[in-house]
């Protein structure tokens, strides 16, 4: 290499290196974990591999304070959606906040009105529409995910209290705490069908390959499996000592469902258990001890790591999926709830 070419090469590297250090750029492709911290009004973002915190996004805006409850990465990996109830309930608009770009800039804040109590948010497989459960009016809000505006509201039922939901094969499967059911929603027609589960339904998990929906039933300390093809339901009891399941998430191969046993609600003690359900046998095969108040759960893209938010410990437990042991803990904000993972290009 000629001297001039060598100097030019070194000059380019010198320019690039500080920029990478500034933006925590260690590799070409990374996975980032997003955590909604309800009481601190922030979203923590950390590297899924080395567990280094990359950024904390403050959602408070001027005189308004928000309580981010749920966070979901869009399937196209280009945006992150956050449900953000107004801390001053009934006095200010609730919002949906969208982060965009490699630097996770606070790009859009969409008002959905007062006294909505937005719970969970998700984006359909094509990243065309976003859906938000509005707990108080008993609705699912449908939003254009490209134009960032509300298209329509789908009534789930008075007192239904829709909460967690997942999308599968063109339909929404919504856990309804009040009506104690899975609401099957067809977004285009607005048709809603309720599948009774006999207890407080909190969150759903779907496995498209099995055409199956799972729902956590808090007060009964069970997970109910619903076969979409046949309409059959199977009840999966959690181990003795369970304090009440909240969020669930399937392994990428569909062979497991990870269930957070939170407790706390309705006077129950907090729990520090993550249960592993085998989807072939419909039984709990393993119990992992994580942090206190285990709430939200997600895996990385290849399923080798499981991330669990701990409400009481203000942390995320990192679990190795093979050994089912905790291999790390990440301090985050106060009362971490929802959690999601993005696979993205480096900064």
């Amino acid at each position: 290499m000629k001297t001039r070419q060598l100097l030019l090469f070194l000059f380019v590297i010198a320019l690039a290196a500080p920029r990478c250090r500034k933006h925590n750029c260690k590799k070409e492709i990374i996975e980032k974990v997003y955590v909604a911290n309800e009481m601190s009004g922030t979203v923590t973002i950390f590297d899924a591999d080395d567990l280094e915190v990359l950024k904390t996004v403050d959602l408070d805006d001027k005189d308004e304070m928000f309580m981010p409850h749920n966070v979901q990465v869009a399937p196209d990996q280009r945006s992150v959606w956050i449900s953000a109830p107004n801390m001053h309930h009934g006095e200010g608009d609730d919002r949906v906040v969208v982060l965009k770009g490699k630097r996770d800039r606070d790009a859009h804040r969409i008002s959905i009105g007062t006294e909505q109590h937005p719970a969970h948010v998700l984006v359909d497989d094509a990243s065309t529409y976003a859906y938000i459960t509005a707990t108080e009016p008993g609705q699912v809000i449908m939003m254009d995910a490209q134009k960032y505006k509300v298209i329509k509201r789908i009534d789930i039922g008075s007192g239904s209290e829709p909460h967690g939901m997942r999308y599968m094969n063109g339909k929404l499967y919504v856990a309804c705490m009040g009506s104690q059911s899975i609401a099957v929603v067809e977004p285009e027609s607005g048709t809603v069908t309720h599948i009774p589960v006999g207890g407080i339904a909190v969150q759903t998990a779907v496995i498209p390959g099995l055409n199956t929906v799972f729902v956590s039933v808090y007060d009964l300390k069970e997970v109910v499996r619903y076969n979409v093809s046949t309409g059959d339901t199977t009840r999966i009891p959690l181990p003795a000592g369970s304090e009440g399941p909240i969020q669930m998430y399937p392994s990428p191969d569909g062979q497991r469902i990870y269930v957070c046993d939170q407790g706390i609600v309705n006077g129950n003690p907090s729990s520090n258990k993550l249960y592993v359900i085998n989807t072939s046998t419909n039984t709990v095969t393993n119990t992992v001890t994580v942090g206190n108040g285990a709430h939200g759960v997600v895996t990385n893209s290849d399923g080798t790591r499981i991330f669990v938010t701990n409400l009481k410990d203000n942390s995320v437990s990192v679990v190795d999926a093979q050994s089912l042991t905790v291999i790390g803990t990440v301090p985050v904000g106060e009362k971490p709830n929802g959690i999601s993972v993005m696979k993205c290009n480096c900064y």
Side-chain angles (χ1 to χ4, degrees), residues 156-182:
I156 305 301
S158 177
S160 59
E161 298 182 355
H163 192 256
M165 62 180 167
R166 296 296 180 190
Y167 182 90
M168 181 174 70
N169 299 331
K171 295 180 181 180
L172 298 170
Y173 294 88
V174 186
C176 297
M177 299 182 295
S179 58
Q180 301 188 352
S181 64
I182 304 171

Side-chain angles (χ1 to χ4, degrees), residues 198-238:
I200 301 171
V202 182
Q203 173 62 304
T204 56
V206 298
I207 301 179
L210 299 177
N211 208 20
T212 298
V213 180
F214 294 83
V215 61
S216 56
V217 185
Y218 181 84
D219 52 335
L220 301 183
K221 300 170 184 177
E222 293 179 336
V223 170
V224 173
R225 177 173 182 159
Y226 169 61
N227 187 308
V228 175
S229 301
T230 65
D232 294 335
T233 57
T234 303
R235 311 195 81 87
I236 305 171
L238 299 180

